[in-house]
Amino acid sequence: MCGIVGYIGREKASDILIEGLHRLEYRGYDSAGIAVPAGDGALEVIRREGKVEELERACAARELPATMGIGHTRWATHGRPSETNAHPHIDCEGKIAIVHNGIIENYVQLRDELKAEGHTFRSETDTEIVAHLLEKYYDGDLVAAMAKTVTRLEGAYGIAAIHVDHPDQIVVTRKDSPIVVGYAAEQQASLLASDIVAVMNYTRDVIFLEDGQIAKLTREGITCYDGNLAPIEPALTHVDWDAESAERGGYPDFMLKEIFEQPRAVRDTIAGAVKNGRVLLDELDLDDDDIEAIDSVCIIGCGTSYHAGLVARELIERWARIPVSVEVASEFRYRDPIVGSNTLVIAISQSGETADTLAAVRIARAKGAQVFAVTNCVGSRITRESDGVLYVRANMEISVAATKSFLAQIACLMLIAMFLGQKKGRLTTRQVNSLYYDLRETPSQIEDILQDTAEIEKAAKLIAKAHSVMYVGRGIGSTICYEGALKLKEISYLHAEAYPAGELKHGPIALLDETVPVVAVVTDSPTRMQTLSNVQEILARKSHVVAVATEGDEEAARIADCVLYVPPCKDWCSAITASVPLQLLARYVALERGCDVDHPRNLAKSVTVE
Ligand code: G6P
């Protein structure tokens, strides 16, 4: 969602800020802006609705010699997307500029108070009150003004501020919204961002600010304070993501690049997880008594992460015989869920910053449950709010549509299911070895699928003409249908619905005719025959069928318009393999329909507000 960057050094700040904003584009935004000192005792604030390129053009047309400044990409929450509502926002006198991620919940009350005191507001945003509060509390010290300002704020925020009288510093703070700061000694520059991607070209040793901490960035270094302005020394984290990972590397879009990275993502995630028939998940810090006491598992997540949870339910129940519920975090948090000390809660979040998932984690822990996070982002909020963390090793995911993180999540959850199965005495070391062997086959099976996508492109042409698409499958097959349909909706703007194949006749079959194609997952599984019968019902309604089937399945070839083959594998492994053609299908349909695959409208990579 919104992105923040800040730079203070020796180079032309506007160039570095624009570069940082480009790197944050993947998070989704509707407008962008920067603020730098203008050199005449004023601030230059340049904002544009739309793409960062617009802003870049506007900046190129001006003299901007400043060597410090802040920038922002905005995703509208309060106030429509517009130049006026874009950040940075300034105080009455135009001396202070701020950028903000998150939501100030008590902004109406604060705005009334500030208006009554004579402050003039220019935008419809909640953010602008922060600039005016800083103005109100500023007494020659911007850090002290920030400390006072945040005591007035309710909600979530990452805030960076500059003052025209202090061209030697940027002040930044946060609560429930990520901020990372880093010092690049060689360049004598300090940087800040809401996301490591925007600073990692300059430094790999960074500080993830904690809630309530304030940092002052200068050309000489970074000083951190707690909320009472006592200096503190937060730990440096070395981030070893390669810069390549942030670039498309020859692929036409990040989504395709990331789909092709899936074999590696799965390999890295499962590497070394089983030794001598024992699942080694030290991160799941549960002793035998804890495991004995677990009588249920509750999985929470949003979007794609929720769908990974659906796969996990099948396998934890199958292998560990523990009842599992899977909940959308935004519902879980408001419905007084039944979890307690005997519930193992698994919170799945690619970004580790999703507001609803974080709220659900807090609720589960408050009710006494042990919460383990499954996330892709080191240092993310969820890692600090959970009892333990399992990282998926997908590496940075730029495309808004999650792909490699989904497969890596599934692989990680498969390990958890094996771990629980073994600890509960349901899986022998031999069985674990055998399951792990099968799982380790999946990366090369994905590689096979990626070698020839011609049939998927053909199927995409068929689907792209439709106005609505149905996805059906059973068991594992149905869980990945939900994700397949979500991918299609997200990037091609085509209506799609997923149903367990057996449910079709209880309603949705009424929608079927020759204009509504159906994607049917009929890979090898104990319920393949039943699903094939459902496909017959579909054909009788004249719908075109795209089947995802196991190589050599001639029956699928006879009945379907297109067959997307995947290599033979265990049915549970098909959660990984059969997801790949569904991802590619969505991408090719999006391209057929002329959509911007990496920047789907209205969506954000990371939803850090409710
Ligand atoms: C947003 C993204 C989805 C993602 C969901 C959950 O809606 O667009 O792709 O699945 O958030 O994100 P998380 O980072 O918690 O997995």
Side-chain angles (χ1 to χ4, degrees):
M1 104 170 0
C2 303
I4 289 177
V5 291
Y7 169 85
I8 178 162
R10 313 265 166 205
E11 307 285 319
K12 191 177 172 203
S14 57
D15 290 350
I16 291 166
L17 295 173
I18 295 281
E19 179 199 332
L21 294 179
H22 273 305
R23 289 185 183 278
L24 293 176
E25 283 190 287
Y26 75 94
R27 294 169 68 92
Y29 68 102
D30 51 55
S31 51
I34 64 162
V36 295
D40 57 357
L43 288 174
E44 181 94 63
V45 180
I46 306 164
R47 303 176 295 181
R48 286 294 178 273
E49 193 180 341
K51 297 281 181 194
V52 173
E53 282 107 71
E54 297 289 329
L55 179 69
E56 194 172 358
R57 269 193 286 278
C59 291
R62 303 201 194 180
E63 277 287 309
L64 298 171
T67 55
M68 67 93 78
I70 50 177
H72 192 262
T73 48
R74 175 173 187 257
W75 189 77
T77 53
H78 291 77
R80 73 207 143 77
S82 70
E83 192 171 315
T84 324
N85 287 334
H87 302 205
H89 289 286
I90 53 173
D91 66 329
C92 296
E93 293 190 19
K95 291 189 156 198
I96 298 169
I98 65 120
V99 288
H100 162 232
N101 281 2
I103 286 181
I104 308 297
E105 286 166 9
N106 59 335
Y107 84 101
V108 175
Q109 169 203 329
L110 289 171
R111 195 180 52 195
D112 290 348
E113 172 190 318
L114 289 159
K115 273 187 179 169
E117 289 170 9
H119 291 263
T120 310
F121 283 77
R122 303 174 179 91
S123 76
E124 305 158 331
T125 65
D126 53 335
T127 296
E128 195 183 342
I129 57 115
V130 180
H132 294 281
L133 278 177
L134 281 169
E135 179 176 32
K136 170 174 170 158
Y137 292 122
Y138 178 74
D139 191 11
D141 182 342
L142 191 57
V143 176
M146 184 67 91
K148 282 193 189 134
T149 294
V150 295
T151 62
R152 304 294 316 278
L153 304 180
E154 286 166 25
Y157 48 80
I159 300 167
I162 58 174
H163 192 298
V164 77
D165 294 341
H166 299 282
D168 56 346
Q169 61 180 253
I170 303 175
V171 177
V172 59
T173 189
R174 61 155 280 168
K175 178 175 167 280
D176 293 333
S177 188
I179 290 288
V180 57
V181 297
Y183 185 62
E186 275 179 24
Q187 291 108 315
Q188 294 179 306
S190 292
L191 294 110
L192 72 98
S194 50
D195 188 320
I196 183 77
V197 66
V199 305
M200 69 185 199
N201 263 11
Y202 294 87
T203 178
R204 297 310 180 102
D205 294 309
V206 297
I207 298 164
F208 292 99
L209 277 197
E210 292 283 338
D211 279 356
Q213 294 179 344
I214 300 175
K216 182 167 80 176
L217 280 66
T218 68
R219 293 177 182 85
E220 290 73 42
I222 296 172
T223 321
C224 295
Y225 307 89
D226 67 14
N228 298 317
L229 296 187
I232 47 167
E233 290 219 4
L236 278 184
T237 304
H238 183 75
V239 179
D240 55 11
W241 275 349
D242 57 354
E244 264 292 299
S245 184
E247 287 154 20
R248 279 198 295 272
Y251 289 95
D253 47 75
F254 280 110
M255 185 179 181
L256 190 63
K257 176 174 181 275
E258 288 162 2
I259 287 173
F260 272 77
E261 285 170 351
Q262 294 187 119
R264 189 212 36 80
V266 174
R267 268 191 200 106
D268 287 357
T269 300
I270 64 174
V274 173
K275 287 237 163 61
N276 302 325
R278 301 218 74 82
V279 189
L280 307 172
L281 288 185
D282 295 341
E283 302 92 328
L284 271 188
D285 187 17
L286 297 168
D287 61 27
D288 290 349
D289 288 343
D290 291 332
I291 301 267
E292 179 68 31
I294 293 170
D295 60 14
S296 63
V297 174
C298 176
I299 302 178
I300 46 187
C302 303
T304 294
S305 295
Y306 167 74
H307 294 152
L310 296 178
V311 177
R313 174 173 62 193
E314 297 280 324
L315 300 182
I316 295 172
E317 292 197 341
R318 190 185 294 188
W319 293 335
R321 304 305 296 160
I322 309 172
V324 182
S325 58
V326 192
E327 301 237 18
V328 170
S330 54
E331 288 294 309
F332 179 94
R333 66 182 287 191
Y334 287 117
R335 63 169 204 86
D336 196 10
I338 303 173
V339 293
S341 56
N342 295 343
T343 319
L344 172 66
V345 172
I346 302 172
I348 310 172
S349 175
Q350 186 283 129
S351 62
E353 302 288 348
T354 300
D356 284 323
T357 309
L358 290 170
V361 165
R362 287 175 204 130
I363 286 163
R365 289 188 81 196
K367 285 173 175 279
Q370 292 236 53
V371 179
F372 288 91
V374 171
T375 185
N376 190 33
C377 288
V378 179
S380 60
R381 188 83 219 159
I382 205 166
T383 65
R384 281 169 274 145
E385 298 223 8
S386 304
D387 296 295
V389 185
L390 280 119
Y391 285 108
V392 306
R393 306 287 173 193
N395 214 326
M396 191 183 315
E397 189 173 64
I398 303 268
S399 186
V400 171
T403 53
K404 63 176 178 173
S405 65
F406 177 61
L407 291 206
Q409 283 170 345
I410 294 177
C412 180
L413 293 160
M414 285 171 169
L415 294 175
I416 296 176
M418 286 181 210
F419 174 84
L420 293 173
Q422 183 155 63
K423 290 283 182 185
K424 282 284 188 189
R426 300 272 178 181
L427 291 178
T428 62
T429 51
R430 227 171 113 199
Q431 286 170 311
V432 165
N433 268 335
S434 160
L435 292 171
Y436 191 52
Y437 177 86
D438 291 330
L439 181 54
R440 281 169 59 184
E441 293 295 298
T442 58
S444 58
Q445 291 163 342
I446 301 170
E447 278 157 5
D448 285 350
I449 297 165
L450 294 174
Q451 265 180 18
D452 182 4
T453 58
E455 188 73 2
I456 305 176
E457 290 176 54
K458 186 179 139 201
K461 289 196 169 38
L462 190 157
I463 301 273
K465 292 194 291 250
H467 60 87
S468 182
V469 185
M470 197 79 79
Y471 284 67
V472 297
R474 285 174 183 253
I476 293 282
S478 85
T479 62
I480 61 169
C481 279
Y482 291 109
E483 177 59 11
L486 178 67
K487 285 287 89 82
L488 193 74
K489 284 182 263 212
E490 283 179 319
I491 59 170
S492 77
Y493 318 142
L494 230 172
H495 173 251
E497 278 205 64
Y499 266 92
E503 268 295 291
L504 262 189
K505 55 184 162 300
H506 299 295
I509 201 165
L511 294 169
L512 297 188
D513 62 21
E514 62 276 21
T515 68
V516 181
V518 178
V519 178
V521 176
V522 296
T523 43
D524 285 342
S525 80
T527 49
R528 174 172 167 275
M529 292 314 295
Q530 286 86 343
T531 313
L532 283 173
S533 302
N534 298 129
V535 172
Q536 292 297 344
E537 294 159 10
I538 292 162
L539 290 169
R541 273 75 193 176
K542 299 196 175 69
S543 288
H544 294 285
V545 172
V546 173
V548 179
T550 308
E551 272 162 20
D553 184 340
E554 287 171 11
E555 191 168 0
R558 259 198 313 278
I559 58 178
D561 295 77
C562 300
V563 188
L564 315 182
Y565 282 118
V566 298
C569 63
K570 296 285 183 330
D571 79 307
W572 58 274
C573 289
S574 71
I576 291 178
T577 56
S579 291
V580 178
L582 298 182
Q583 296 166 338
L584 286 165
L585 183 65
R587 178 181 172 277
Y588 286 121
V589 172
L591 293 178
E592 276 291 315
R593 291 166 61 88
C595 302
D596 181 344
V597 171
D598 281 337
H599 302 111
R601 69 186 181 202
N602 304 342
L603 295 181
K605 180 73 182 161
S606 172
V607 183
T608 53
V609 292
E610 192 175 344

